[in-house]
Amino acid sequence: LQCSGGSARLAGALRELLLDSDGRVRPVRLSALLQAALGVAASADDSDGFIDFDAVPKEGASTTELVDFLLSPGGRSLKPLLVGELATSLDLVVRSATRQAFYELQASLRPRVPGLGVALPAPPAPPLPVVTPGGPKLL
């Protein structure tokens, strides 16, 4: 994560603000940060410069405004963080969907009793030929 001007302290503060102890993005804080960057405050009390990163404004900036901000030079420091989070989330979704599809396929290929729909037990594994000193044997 790099910030404009290459400030390591600023990048560290941004990481500490947005990431939890597991390195995952805190969605509420990210939303509050983006809303604050666009000038939207969580309450009327925030006009003095204090921003509560654990509270999201009820009426904030639109999705279009947020995307425009992220694509602008001002959102440059958040892009690597969001790309990493998007990659992790996409990986989890794909793994979960693949695992679920595999289990459903496995269940649909299990032999069933016609008319009852009851699944039969899995057939035993086929015997494997093994060469032993006394000659070939099936295990």
Side-chain angles (χ1 to χ4, degrees), residues 75-118:
R76 179 179 48 212
S77 62
L78 291 174
K79 287 177 194 173
L81 179 73
L82 294 177
V83 167
E85 188 67 20
L86 179 64
T88 301
S89 299
L90 186 59
D91 180 49
L92 290 174
V93 168
V94 169
R95 284 186 196 195
S96 177
T98 303
R99 188 178 305 115
Q100 183 65 30
F102 174 74
Y103 290 138
E104 288 177 10
L105 177 66
Q106 200 174 31
S108 69
L109 295 177
R110 200 170 292 150
R112 299 188 178 278
V113 176
L116 297 177
V118 177

PDB file of all heavy atoms in Angstrom, residues 75-118:
ATOM      1  N   GLY A  75      -8.001   8.547  -5.148  1.00  0.00           N
ATOM      2  CA  GLY A  75      -8.245   7.202  -4.644  1.00  0.00           C
ATOM      3  C   GLY A  75      -7.117   6.235  -4.929  1.00  0.00           C
ATOM      4  O   GLY A  75      -7.241   5.034  -4.676  1.00  0.00           O
ATOM      5  N   ARG A  76      -6.011   6.754  -5.426  1.00  0.00           N
ATOM      6  CA  ARG A  76      -4.879   5.911  -5.827  1.00  0.00           C
ATOM      7  C   ARG A  76      -4.336   5.052  -4.685  1.00  0.00           C
ATOM      8  O   ARG A  76      -3.993   3.891  -4.884  1.00  0.00           O
ATOM      9  CB  ARG A  76      -3.779   6.798  -6.402  1.00  0.00           C
ATOM     10  CG  ARG A  76      -2.553   6.047  -6.840  1.00  0.00           C
ATOM     11  CD  ARG A  76      -1.497   6.957  -7.417  1.00  0.00           C
ATOM     12  NE  ARG A  76      -1.289   8.101  -6.544  1.00  0.00           N
ATOM     13  CZ  ARG A  76      -0.960   9.294  -6.969  1.00  0.00           C
ATOM     14  NH1 ARG A  76      -0.793   9.516  -8.241  1.00  0.00           N
ATOM     15  NH2 ARG A  76      -0.802  10.287  -6.125  1.00  0.00           N
ATOM     16  N   SER A  77      -4.284   5.578  -3.468  1.00  0.00           N
ATOM     17  CA  SER A  77      -3.696   4.824  -2.363  1.00  0.00           C
ATOM     18  C   SER A  77      -4.591   3.673  -1.898  1.00  0.00           C
ATOM     19  O   SER A  77      -4.111   2.739  -1.263  1.00  0.00           O
ATOM     20  CB  SER A  77      -3.391   5.749  -1.191  1.00  0.00           C
ATOM     21  OG  SER A  77      -4.582   6.337  -0.717  1.00  0.00           O
ATOM     22  N   LEU A  78      -5.875   3.731  -2.204  1.00  0.00           N
ATOM     23  CA  LEU A  78      -6.793   2.663  -1.787  1.00  0.00           C
ATOM     24  C   LEU A  78      -6.889   1.530  -2.807  1.00  0.00           C
ATOM     25  O   LEU A  78      -7.326   0.429  -2.460  1.00  0.00           O
ATOM     26  CB  LEU A  78      -8.193   3.228  -1.550  1.00  0.00           C
ATOM     27  CG  LEU A  78      -8.340   4.151  -0.353  1.00  0.00           C
ATOM     28  CD1 LEU A  78      -9.729   4.743  -0.317  1.00  0.00           C
ATOM     29  CD2 LEU A  78      -8.042   3.414   0.918  1.00  0.00           C
ATOM     30  N   LYS A  79      -6.488   1.775  -4.032  1.00  0.00           N
ATOM     31  CA  LYS A  79      -6.642   0.759  -5.085  1.00  0.00           C
ATOM     32  C   LYS A  79      -5.940  -0.565  -4.767  1.00  0.00           C
ATOM     33  O   LYS A  79      -6.562  -1.620  -4.885  1.00  0.00           O
ATOM     34  CB  LYS A  79      -6.168   1.305  -6.426  1.00  0.00           C
ATOM     35  CG  LYS A  79      -7.113   2.318  -7.013  1.00  0.00           C
ATOM     36  CD  LYS A  79      -6.555   2.876  -8.307  1.00  0.00           C
ATOM     37  CE  LYS A  79      -7.320   4.113  -8.714  1.00  0.00           C
ATOM     38  NZ  LYS A  79      -6.724   4.780  -9.852  1.00  0.00           N
ATOM     39  N   PRO A  80      -4.657  -0.577  -4.352  1.00  0.00           N
ATOM     40  CA  PRO A  80      -4.021  -1.872  -4.066  1.00  0.00           C
ATOM     41  C   PRO A  80      -4.741  -2.645  -2.956  1.00  0.00           C
ATOM     42  O   PRO A  80      -4.884  -3.860  -3.024  1.00  0.00           O
ATOM     43  CB  PRO A  80      -2.599  -1.499  -3.635  1.00  0.00           C
ATOM     44  CG  PRO A  80      -2.376  -0.139  -4.169  1.00  0.00           C
ATOM     45  CD  PRO A  80      -3.713   0.519  -4.213  1.00  0.00           C
ATOM     46  N   LEU A  81      -5.197  -1.939  -1.947  1.00  0.00           N
ATOM     47  CA  LEU A  81      -5.914  -2.565  -0.845  1.00  0.00           C
ATOM     48  C   LEU A  81      -7.218  -3.195  -1.335  1.00  0.00           C
ATOM     49  O   LEU A  81      -7.537  -4.342  -1.003  1.00  0.00           O
ATOM     50  CB  LEU A  81      -6.202  -1.514   0.227  1.00  0.00           C
ATOM     51  CG  LEU A  81      -6.957  -1.970   1.447  1.00  0.00           C
ATOM     52  CD1 LEU A  81      -6.046  -2.818   2.319  1.00  0.00           C
ATOM     53  CD2 LEU A  81      -7.448  -0.772   2.230  1.00  0.00           C
ATOM     54  N   LEU A  82      -7.953  -2.461  -2.145  1.00  0.00           N
ATOM     55  CA  LEU A  82      -9.238  -2.969  -2.641  1.00  0.00           C
ATOM     56  C   LEU A  82      -9.066  -4.096  -3.650  1.00  0.00           C
ATOM     57  O   LEU A  82      -9.854  -5.037  -3.668  1.00  0.00           O
ATOM     58  CB  LEU A  82     -10.047  -1.826  -3.249  1.00  0.00           C
ATOM     59  CG  LEU A  82     -10.485  -0.754  -2.245  1.00  0.00           C
ATOM     60  CD1 LEU A  82     -11.210   0.376  -2.965  1.00  0.00           C
ATOM     61  CD2 LEU A  82     -11.365  -1.344  -1.166  1.00  0.00           C
ATOM     62  N   VAL A  83      -8.037  -4.029  -4.472  1.00  0.00           N
ATOM     63  CA  VAL A  83      -7.784  -5.104  -5.434  1.00  0.00           C
ATOM     64  C   VAL A  83      -7.449  -6.392  -4.696  1.00  0.00           C
ATOM     65  O   VAL A  83      -7.950  -7.469  -5.040  1.00  0.00           O
ATOM     66  CB  VAL A  83      -6.655  -4.704  -6.421  1.00  0.00           C
ATOM     67  CG1 VAL A  83      -6.174  -5.907  -7.215  1.00  0.00           C
ATOM     68  CG2 VAL A  83      -7.147  -3.621  -7.362  1.00  0.00           C
ATOM     69  N   GLY A  84      -6.627  -6.301  -3.664  1.00  0.00           N
ATOM     70  CA  GLY A  84      -6.300  -7.482  -2.860  1.00  0.00           C
ATOM     71  C   GLY A  84      -7.524  -8.062  -2.184  1.00  0.00           C
ATOM     72  O   GLY A  84      -7.723  -9.281  -2.159  1.00  0.00           O
ATOM     73  N   GLU A  85      -8.369  -7.207  -1.635  1.00  0.00           N
ATOM     74  CA  GLU A  85      -9.595  -7.674  -0.973  1.00  0.00           C
ATOM     75  C   GLU A  85     -10.552  -8.288  -1.986  1.00  0.00           C
ATOM     76  O   GLU A  85     -11.177  -9.315  -1.723  1.00  0.00           O
ATOM     77  CB  GLU A  85     -10.273  -6.508  -0.252  1.00  0.00           C
ATOM     78  CG  GLU A  85     -11.429  -6.907   0.608  1.00  0.00           C
ATOM     79  CD  GLU A  85     -11.044  -7.752   1.806  1.00  0.00           C
ATOM     80  OE1 GLU A  85      -9.877  -7.752   2.217  1.00  0.00           O
ATOM     81  OE2 GLU A  85     -11.931  -8.439   2.332  1.00  0.00           O
ATOM     82  N   LEU A  86     -10.664  -7.695  -3.162  1.00  0.00           N
ATOM     83  CA  LEU A  86     -11.521  -8.238  -4.208  1.00  0.00           C
ATOM     84  C   LEU A  86     -11.025  -9.602  -4.664  1.00  0.00           C
ATOM     85  O   LEU A  86     -11.810 -10.538  -4.838  1.00  0.00           O
ATOM     86  CB  LEU A  86     -11.579  -7.273  -5.398  1.00  0.00           C
ATOM     87  CG  LEU A  86     -12.412  -7.724  -6.587  1.00  0.00           C
ATOM     88  CD1 LEU A  86     -13.880  -7.857  -6.187  1.00  0.00           C
ATOM     89  CD2 LEU A  86     -12.271  -6.760  -7.737  1.00  0.00           C
ATOM     90  N   ALA A  87      -9.712  -9.749  -4.827  1.00  0.00           N
ATOM     91  CA  ALA A  87      -9.143 -11.039  -5.239  1.00  0.00           C
ATOM     92  C   ALA A  87      -9.413 -12.112  -4.191  1.00  0.00           C
ATOM     93  O   ALA A  87      -9.794 -13.242  -4.520  1.00  0.00           O
ATOM     94  CB  ALA A  87      -7.648 -10.902  -5.490  1.00  0.00           C
ATOM     95  N   THR A  88      -9.247 -11.773  -2.913  1.00  0.00           N
ATOM     96  CA  THR A  88      -9.509 -12.731  -1.838  1.00  0.00           C
ATOM     97  C   THR A  88     -10.976 -13.126  -1.804  1.00  0.00           C
ATOM     98  O   THR A  88     -11.313 -14.312  -1.694  1.00  0.00           O
ATOM     99  CB  THR A  88      -9.099 -12.132  -0.481  1.00  0.00           C
ATOM    100  OG1 THR A  88      -7.714 -11.813  -0.526  1.00  0.00           O
ATOM    101  CG2 THR A  88      -9.357 -13.096   0.655  1.00  0.00           C
ATOM    102  N   SER A  89     -11.864 -12.157  -1.917  1.00  0.00           N
ATOM    103  CA  SER A  89     -13.298 -12.443  -1.894  1.00  0.00           C
ATOM    104  C   SER A  89     -13.723 -13.282  -3.087  1.00  0.00           C
ATOM    105  O   SER A  89     -14.496 -14.233  -2.947  1.00  0.00           O
ATOM    106  CB  SER A  89     -14.098 -11.135  -1.889  1.00  0.00           C
ATOM    107  OG  SER A  89     -13.790 -10.391  -0.748  1.00  0.00           O
ATOM    108  N   LEU A  90     -13.220 -12.946  -4.256  1.00  0.00           N
ATOM    109  CA  LEU A  90     -13.552 -13.704  -5.458  1.00  0.00           C
ATOM    110  C   LEU A  90     -13.045 -15.135  -5.344  1.00  0.00           C
ATOM    111  O   LEU A  90     -13.750 -16.084  -5.714  1.00  0.00           O
ATOM    112  CB  LEU A  90     -12.960 -13.016  -6.685  1.00  0.00           C
ATOM    113  CG  LEU A  90     -13.337 -13.601  -8.044  1.00  0.00           C
ATOM    114  CD1 LEU A  90     -14.837 -13.565  -8.240  1.00  0.00           C
ATOM    115  CD2 LEU A  90     -12.642 -12.834  -9.150  1.00  0.00           C
ATOM    116  N   ASP A  91     -11.851 -15.313  -4.795  1.00  0.00           N
ATOM    117  CA  ASP A  91     -11.297 -16.649  -4.589  1.00  0.00           C
ATOM    118  C   ASP A  91     -12.198 -17.467  -3.661  1.00  0.00           C
ATOM    119  O   ASP A  91     -12.491 -18.630  -3.941  1.00  0.00           O
ATOM    120  CB  ASP A  91      -9.888 -16.537  -4.009  1.00  0.00           C
ATOM    121  CG  ASP A  91      -9.245 -17.886  -3.762  1.00  0.00           C
ATOM    122  OD1 ASP A  91      -9.265 -18.737  -4.678  1.00  0.00           O
ATOM    123  OD2 ASP A  91      -8.723 -18.099  -2.650  1.00  0.00           O
ATOM    124  N   LEU A  92     -12.656 -16.871  -2.575  1.00  0.00           N
ATOM    125  CA  LEU A  92     -13.535 -17.580  -1.639  1.00  0.00           C
ATOM    126  C   LEU A  92     -14.866 -17.960  -2.287  1.00  0.00           C
ATOM    127  O   LEU A  92     -15.368 -19.065  -2.086  1.00  0.00           O
ATOM    128  CB  LEU A  92     -13.778 -16.728  -0.393  1.00  0.00           C
ATOM    129  CG  LEU A  92     -12.582 -16.547   0.526  1.00  0.00           C
ATOM    130  CD1 LEU A  92     -12.910 -15.555   1.636  1.00  0.00           C
ATOM    131  CD2 LEU A  92     -12.147 -17.872   1.114  1.00  0.00           C
ATOM    132  N   VAL A  93     -15.429 -17.060  -3.073  1.00  0.00           N
ATOM    133  CA  VAL A  93     -16.707 -17.341  -3.738  1.00  0.00           C
ATOM    134  C   VAL A  93     -16.550 -18.474  -4.743  1.00  0.00           C
ATOM    135  O   VAL A  93     -17.372 -19.395  -4.803  1.00  0.00           O
ATOM    136  CB  VAL A  93     -17.253 -16.063  -4.413  1.00  0.00           C
ATOM    137  CG1 VAL A  93     -18.396 -16.381  -5.351  1.00  0.00           C
ATOM    138  CG2 VAL A  93     -17.699 -15.063  -3.362  1.00  0.00           C
ATOM    139  N   VAL A  94     -15.485 -18.426  -5.541  1.00  0.00           N
ATOM    140  CA  VAL A  94     -15.263 -19.472  -6.548  1.00  0.00           C
ATOM    141  C   VAL A  94     -15.010 -20.820  -5.882  1.00  0.00           C
ATOM    142  O   VAL A  94     -15.555 -21.849  -6.296  1.00  0.00           O
ATOM    143  CB  VAL A  94     -14.103 -19.087  -7.497  1.00  0.00           C
ATOM    144  CG1 VAL A  94     -13.674 -20.248  -8.361  1.00  0.00           C
ATOM    145  CG2 VAL A  94     -14.513 -17.907  -8.354  1.00  0.00           C
ATOM    146  N   ARG A  95     -14.199 -20.834  -4.822  1.00  0.00           N
ATOM    147  CA  ARG A  95     -13.948 -22.098  -4.115  1.00  0.00           C
ATOM    148  C   ARG A  95     -15.229 -22.675  -3.528  1.00  0.00           C
ATOM    149  O   ARG A  95     -15.487 -23.870  -3.633  1.00  0.00           O
ATOM    150  CB  ARG A  95     -12.950 -21.879  -2.976  1.00  0.00           C
ATOM    151  CG  ARG A  95     -11.533 -21.744  -3.416  1.00  0.00           C
ATOM    152  CD  ARG A  95     -10.660 -21.677  -2.197  1.00  0.00           C
ATOM    153  NE  ARG A  95      -9.342 -21.189  -2.516  1.00  0.00           N
ATOM    154  CZ  ARG A  95      -8.324 -21.307  -1.712  1.00  0.00           C
ATOM    155  NH1 ARG A  95      -8.465 -21.884  -0.538  1.00  0.00           N
ATOM    156  NH2 ARG A  95      -7.140 -20.852  -2.058  1.00  0.00           N
ATOM    157  N   SER A  96     -16.023 -21.834  -2.912  1.00  0.00           N
ATOM    158  CA  SER A  96     -17.269 -22.290  -2.296  1.00  0.00           C
ATOM    159  C   SER A  96     -18.234 -22.831  -3.356  1.00  0.00           C
ATOM    160  O   SER A  96     -18.843 -23.888  -3.174  1.00  0.00           O
ATOM    161  CB  SER A  96     -17.918 -21.139  -1.530  1.00  0.00           C
ATOM    162  OG  SER A  96     -19.136 -21.534  -0.989  1.00  0.00           O
ATOM    163  N   ALA A  97     -18.379 -22.119  -4.463  1.00  0.00           N
ATOM    164  CA  ALA A  97     -19.281 -22.562  -5.530  1.00  0.00           C
ATOM    165  C   ALA A  97     -18.788 -23.866  -6.155  1.00  0.00           C
ATOM    166  O   ALA A  97     -19.587 -24.761  -6.451  1.00  0.00           O
ATOM    167  CB  ALA A  97     -19.398 -21.480  -6.601  1.00  0.00           C
ATOM    168  N   THR A  98     -17.482 -23.992  -6.341  1.00  0.00           N
ATOM    169  CA  THR A  98     -16.919 -25.222  -6.909  1.00  0.00           C
ATOM    170  C   THR A  98     -17.135 -26.398  -5.967  1.00  0.00           C
ATOM    171  O   THR A  98     -17.523 -27.487  -6.400  1.00  0.00           O
ATOM    172  CB  THR A  98     -15.420 -25.039  -7.195  1.00  0.00           C
ATOM    173  OG1 THR A  98     -15.250 -23.922  -8.073  1.00  0.00           O
ATOM    174  CG2 THR A  98     -14.814 -26.269  -7.822  1.00  0.00           C
ATOM    175  N   ARG A  99     -16.890 -26.176  -4.686  1.00  0.00           N
ATOM    176  CA  ARG A  99     -17.095 -27.244  -3.702  1.00  0.00           C
ATOM    177  C   ARG A  99     -18.559 -27.683  -3.669  1.00  0.00           C
ATOM    178  O   ARG A  99     -18.874 -28.863  -3.670  1.00  0.00           O
ATOM    179  CB  ARG A  99     -16.658 -26.760  -2.317  1.00  0.00           C
ATOM    180  CG  ARG A  99     -16.654 -27.831  -1.261  1.00  0.00           C
ATOM    181  CD  ARG A  99     -16.160 -27.329   0.088  1.00  0.00           C
ATOM    182  NE  ARG A  99     -14.843 -26.708   0.011  1.00  0.00           N
ATOM    183  CZ  ARG A  99     -14.590 -25.427   0.261  1.00  0.00           C
ATOM    184  NH1 ARG A  99     -15.545 -24.623   0.631  1.00  0.00           N
ATOM    185  NH2 ARG A  99     -13.370 -24.955   0.168  1.00  0.00           N
ATOM    186  N   GLN A 100     -19.476 -26.722  -3.675  1.00  0.00           N
ATOM    187  CA  GLN A 100     -20.899 -27.044  -3.654  1.00  0.00           C
ATOM    188  C   GLN A 100     -21.304 -27.791  -4.924  1.00  0.00           C
ATOM    189  O   GLN A 100     -22.054 -28.773  -4.862  1.00  0.00           O
ATOM    190  CB  GLN A 100     -21.731 -25.765  -3.509  1.00  0.00           C
ATOM    191  CG  GLN A 100     -23.211 -26.007  -3.409  1.00  0.00           C
ATOM    192  CD  GLN A 100     -23.599 -26.757  -2.151  1.00  0.00           C
ATOM    193  OE1 GLN A 100     -22.948 -26.637  -1.121  1.00  0.00           O
ATOM    194  NE2 GLN A 100     -24.648 -27.535  -2.226  1.00  0.00           N
ATOM    195  N   ALA A 101     -20.812 -27.368  -6.076  1.00  0.00           N
ATOM    196  CA  ALA A 101     -21.133 -28.055  -7.337  1.00  0.00           C
ATOM    197  C   ALA A 101     -20.595 -29.483  -7.321  1.00  0.00           C
ATOM    198  O   ALA A 101     -21.260 -30.412  -7.797  1.00  0.00           O
ATOM    199  CB  ALA A 101     -20.554 -27.281  -8.516  1.00  0.00           C
ATOM    200  N   PHE A 102     -19.393 -29.690  -6.773  1.00  0.00           N
ATOM    201  CA  PHE A 102     -18.813 -31.023  -6.689  1.00  0.00           C
ATOM    202  C   PHE A 102     -19.687 -31.934  -5.819  1.00  0.00           C
ATOM    203  O   PHE A 102     -19.973 -33.069  -6.196  1.00  0.00           O
ATOM    204  CB  PHE A 102     -17.395 -30.954  -6.119  1.00  0.00           C
ATOM    205  CG  PHE A 102     -16.789 -32.309  -5.869  1.00  0.00           C
ATOM    206  CD1 PHE A 102     -16.344 -33.093  -6.926  1.00  0.00           C
ATOM    207  CD2 PHE A 102     -16.690 -32.812  -4.576  1.00  0.00           C
ATOM    208  CE1 PHE A 102     -15.789 -34.347  -6.701  1.00  0.00           C
ATOM    209  CE2 PHE A 102     -16.141 -34.059  -4.342  1.00  0.00           C
ATOM    210  CZ  PHE A 102     -15.699 -34.836  -5.398  1.00  0.00           C
ATOM    211  N   TYR A 103     -20.103 -31.439  -4.660  1.00  0.00           N
ATOM    212  CA  TYR A 103     -20.948 -32.251  -3.776  1.00  0.00           C
ATOM    213  C   TYR A 103     -22.294 -32.572  -4.417  1.00  0.00           C
ATOM    214  O   TYR A 103     -22.808 -33.683  -4.291  1.00  0.00           O
ATOM    215  CB  TYR A 103     -21.149 -31.572  -2.427  1.00  0.00           C
ATOM    216  CG  TYR A 103     -19.900 -31.540  -1.579  1.00  0.00           C
ATOM    217  CD1 TYR A 103     -19.557 -30.413  -0.866  1.00  0.00           C
ATOM    218  CD2 TYR A 103     -19.047 -32.640  -1.505  1.00  0.00           C
ATOM    219  CE1 TYR A 103     -18.406 -30.377  -0.090  1.00  0.00           C
ATOM    220  CE2 TYR A 103     -17.895 -32.613  -0.741  1.00  0.00           C
ATOM    221  CZ  TYR A 103     -17.584 -31.480  -0.033  1.00  0.00           C
ATOM    222  OH  TYR A 103     -16.444 -31.447   0.729  1.00  0.00           O
ATOM    223  N   GLU A 104     -22.872 -31.608  -5.119  1.00  0.00           N
ATOM    224  CA  GLU A 104     -24.148 -31.857  -5.796  1.00  0.00           C
ATOM    225  C   GLU A 104     -23.974 -32.858  -6.929  1.00  0.00           C
ATOM    226  O   GLU A 104     -24.833 -33.725  -7.131  1.00  0.00           O
ATOM    227  CB  GLU A 104     -24.736 -30.547  -6.310  1.00  0.00           C
ATOM    228  CG  GLU A 104     -25.262 -29.662  -5.204  1.00  0.00           C
ATOM    229  CD  GLU A 104     -25.777 -28.334  -5.706  1.00  0.00           C
ATOM    230  OE1 GLU A 104     -25.917 -28.150  -6.933  1.00  0.00           O
ATOM    231  OE2 GLU A 104     -26.028 -27.459  -4.853  1.00  0.00           O
ATOM    232  N   LEU A 105     -22.888 -32.772  -7.678  1.00  0.00           N
ATOM    233  CA  LEU A 105     -22.615 -33.726  -8.745  1.00  0.00           C
ATOM    234  C   LEU A 105     -22.395 -35.115  -8.166  1.00  0.00           C
ATOM    235  O   LEU A 105     -22.926 -36.104  -8.668  1.00  0.00           O
ATOM    236  CB  LEU A 105     -21.386 -33.291  -9.549  1.00  0.00           C
ATOM    237  CG  LEU A 105     -20.939 -34.251 -10.651  1.00  0.00           C
ATOM    238  CD1 LEU A 105     -22.007 -34.328 -11.740  1.00  0.00           C
ATOM    239  CD2 LEU A 105     -19.612 -33.815 -11.236  1.00  0.00           C
ATOM    240  N   GLN A 106     -21.641 -35.196  -7.102  1.00  0.00           N
ATOM    241  CA  GLN A 106     -21.373 -36.471  -6.447  1.00  0.00           C
ATOM    242  C   GLN A 106     -22.680 -37.111  -5.970  1.00  0.00           C
ATOM    243  O   GLN A 106     -22.891 -38.304  -6.146  1.00  0.00           O
ATOM    244  CB  GLN A 106     -20.431 -36.226  -5.269  1.00  0.00           C
ATOM    245  CG  GLN A 106     -19.687 -37.425  -4.786  1.00  0.00           C
ATOM    246  CD  GLN A 106     -18.679 -37.027  -3.701  1.00  0.00           C
ATOM    247  OE1 GLN A 106     -18.904 -36.078  -2.940  1.00  0.00           O
ATOM    248  NE2 GLN A 106     -17.581 -37.743  -3.643  1.00  0.00           N
ATOM    249  N   ALA A 107     -23.567 -36.301  -5.392  1.00  0.00           N
ATOM    250  CA  ALA A 107     -24.852 -36.821  -4.913  1.00  0.00           C
ATOM    251  C   ALA A 107     -25.746 -37.252  -6.071  1.00  0.00           C
ATOM    252  O   ALA A 107     -26.464 -38.257  -5.970  1.00  0.00           O
ATOM    253  CB  ALA A 107     -25.564 -35.770  -4.069  1.00  0.00           C
ATOM    254  N   SER A 108     -25.695 -36.536  -7.178  1.00  0.00           N
ATOM    255  CA  SER A 108     -26.561 -36.889  -8.310  1.00  0.00           C
ATOM    256  C   SER A 108     -26.074 -38.135  -9.039  1.00  0.00           C
ATOM    257  O   SER A 108     -26.855 -38.803  -9.714  1.00  0.00           O
ATOM    258  CB  SER A 108     -26.662 -35.715  -9.288  1.00  0.00           C
ATOM    259  OG  SER A 108     -25.432 -35.502  -9.939  1.00  0.00           O
ATOM    260  N   LEU A 109     -24.795 -38.472  -8.928  1.00  0.00           N
ATOM    261  CA  LEU A 109     -24.258 -39.660  -9.592  1.00  0.00           C
ATOM    262  C   LEU A 109     -24.367 -40.923  -8.739  1.00  0.00           C
ATOM    263  O   LEU A 109     -24.079 -42.009  -9.224  1.00  0.00           O
ATOM    264  CB  LEU A 109     -22.789 -39.426  -9.975  1.00  0.00           C
ATOM    265  CG  LEU A 109     -22.551 -38.342 -11.020  1.00  0.00           C
ATOM    266  CD1 LEU A 109     -21.053 -38.155 -11.249  1.00  0.00           C
ATOM    267  CD2 LEU A 109     -23.248 -38.663 -12.314  1.00  0.00           C
ATOM    268  N   ARG A 110     -24.781 -40.793  -7.486  1.00  0.00           N
ATOM    269  CA  ARG A 110     -24.920 -41.946  -6.608  1.00  0.00           C
ATOM    270  C   ARG A 110     -26.111 -42.787  -7.097  1.00  0.00           C
ATOM    271  O   ARG A 110     -27.177 -42.251  -7.391  1.00  0.00           O
ATOM    272  CB  ARG A 110     -25.174 -41.445  -5.181  1.00  0.00           C
ATOM    273  CG  ARG A 110     -24.854 -42.482  -4.135  1.00  0.00           C
ATOM    274  CD  ARG A 110     -24.877 -41.894  -2.740  1.00  0.00           C
ATOM    275  NE  ARG A 110     -23.773 -40.948  -2.580  1.00  0.00           N
ATOM    276  CZ  ARG A 110     -23.810 -39.884  -1.785  1.00  0.00           C
ATOM    277  NH1 ARG A 110     -24.874 -39.629  -1.081  1.00  0.00           N
ATOM    278  NH2 ARG A 110     -22.776 -39.096  -1.691  1.00  0.00           N
ATOM    279  N   PRO A 111     -25.955 -44.119  -7.193  1.00  0.00           N
ATOM    280  CA  PRO A 111     -27.061 -44.953  -7.670  1.00  0.00           C
ATOM    281  C   PRO A 111     -28.246 -44.897  -6.704  1.00  0.00           C
ATOM    282  O   PRO A 111     -28.070 -44.840  -5.493  1.00  0.00           O
ATOM    283  CB  PRO A 111     -26.463 -46.360  -7.728  1.00  0.00           C
ATOM    284  CG  PRO A 111     -25.121 -46.291  -7.115  1.00  0.00           C
ATOM    285  CD  PRO A 111     -24.765 -44.878  -6.889  1.00  0.00           C
ATOM    286  N   ARG A 112     -29.460 -44.918  -7.268  1.00  0.00           N
ATOM    287  CA  ARG A 112     -30.676 -44.831  -6.464  1.00  0.00           C
ATOM    288  C   ARG A 112     -31.628 -45.975  -6.831  1.00  0.00           C
ATOM    289  O   ARG A 112     -31.607 -46.482  -7.943  1.00  0.00           O
ATOM    290  CB  ARG A 112     -31.374 -43.502  -6.694  1.00  0.00           C
ATOM    291  CG  ARG A 112     -30.512 -42.319  -6.309  1.00  0.00           C
ATOM    292  CD  ARG A 112     -31.307 -41.031  -6.366  1.00  0.00           C
ATOM    293  NE  ARG A 112     -30.508 -39.908  -5.951  1.00  0.00           N
ATOM    294  CZ  ARG A 112     -30.290 -39.567  -4.686  1.00  0.00           C
ATOM    295  NH1 ARG A 112     -30.816 -40.253  -3.722  1.00  0.00           N
ATOM    296  NH2 ARG A 112     -29.542 -38.532  -4.398  1.00  0.00           N
ATOM    297  N   VAL A 113     -32.461 -46.348  -5.867  1.00  0.00           N
ATOM    298  CA  VAL A 113     -33.480 -47.371  -6.098  1.00  0.00           C
ATOM    299  C   VAL A 113     -34.582 -46.740  -6.949  1.00  0.00           C
ATOM    300  O   VAL A 113     -35.140 -45.709  -6.564  1.00  0.00           O
ATOM    301  CB  VAL A 113     -34.057 -47.883  -4.758  1.00  0.00           C
ATOM    302  CG1 VAL A 113     -35.182 -48.866  -5.002  1.00  0.00           C
ATOM    303  CG2 VAL A 113     -32.973 -48.486  -3.903  1.00  0.00           C
ATOM    304  N   PRO A 114     -34.909 -47.336  -8.111  1.00  0.00           N
ATOM    305  CA  PRO A 114     -35.950 -46.754  -8.967  1.00  0.00           C
ATOM    306  C   PRO A 114     -37.291 -46.679  -8.228  1.00  0.00           C
ATOM    307  O   PRO A 114     -37.693 -47.588  -7.532  1.00  0.00           O
ATOM    308  CB  PRO A 114     -36.044 -47.731 -10.148  1.00  0.00           C
ATOM    309  CG  PRO A 114     -34.757 -48.488 -10.136  1.00  0.00           C
ATOM    310  CD  PRO A 114     -34.306 -48.519  -8.709  1.00  0.00           C
ATOM    311  N   GLY A 115     -37.953 -45.563  -8.361  1.00  0.00           N
ATOM    312  CA  GLY A 115     -39.263 -45.370  -7.762  1.00  0.00           C
ATOM    313  C   GLY A 115     -39.202 -44.853  -6.335  1.00  0.00           C
ATOM    314  O   GLY A 115     -40.075 -44.117  -5.914  1.00  0.00           O
ATOM    315  N   LEU A 116     -38.215 -45.246  -5.570  1.00  0.00           N
ATOM    316  CA  LEU A 116     -38.116 -44.800  -4.180  1.00  0.00           C
ATOM    317  C   LEU A 116     -37.198 -43.595  -4.017  1.00  0.00           C
ATOM    318  O   LEU A 116     -37.371 -42.808  -3.103  1.00  0.00           O
ATOM    319  CB  LEU A 116     -37.608 -45.940  -3.283  1.00  0.00           C
ATOM    320  CG  LEU A 116     -38.501 -47.177  -3.193  1.00  0.00           C
ATOM    321  CD1 LEU A 116     -37.839 -48.230  -2.333  1.00  0.00           C
ATOM    322  CD2 LEU A 116     -39.860 -46.809  -2.632  1.00  0.00           C
ATOM    323  N   GLY A 117     -36.209 -43.501  -4.861  1.00  0.00           N
ATOM    324  CA  GLY A 117     -35.268 -42.395  -4.790  1.00  0.00           C
ATOM    325  C   GLY A 117     -34.271 -42.514  -3.653  1.00  0.00           C
ATOM    326  O   GLY A 117     -33.570 -41.576  -3.345  1.00  0.00           O
ATOM    327  N   VAL A 118     -34.222 -43.679  -3.011  1.00  0.00           N
ATOM    328  CA  VAL A 118     -33.289 -43.897  -1.911  1.00  0.00           C
ATOM    329  C   VAL A 118     -31.915 -44.212  -2.492  1.00  0.00           C
ATOM    330  O   VAL A 118     -31.781 -45.058  -3.374  1.00  0.00           O
ATOM    331  CB  VAL A 118     -33.767 -45.067  -1.009  1.00  0.00           C
ATOM    332  CG1 VAL A 118     -32.778 -45.338   0.095  1.00  0.00           C
ATOM    333  CG2 VAL A 118     -35.147 -44.771  -0.460  1.00  0.00           C
TER     334      VAL A 118
END
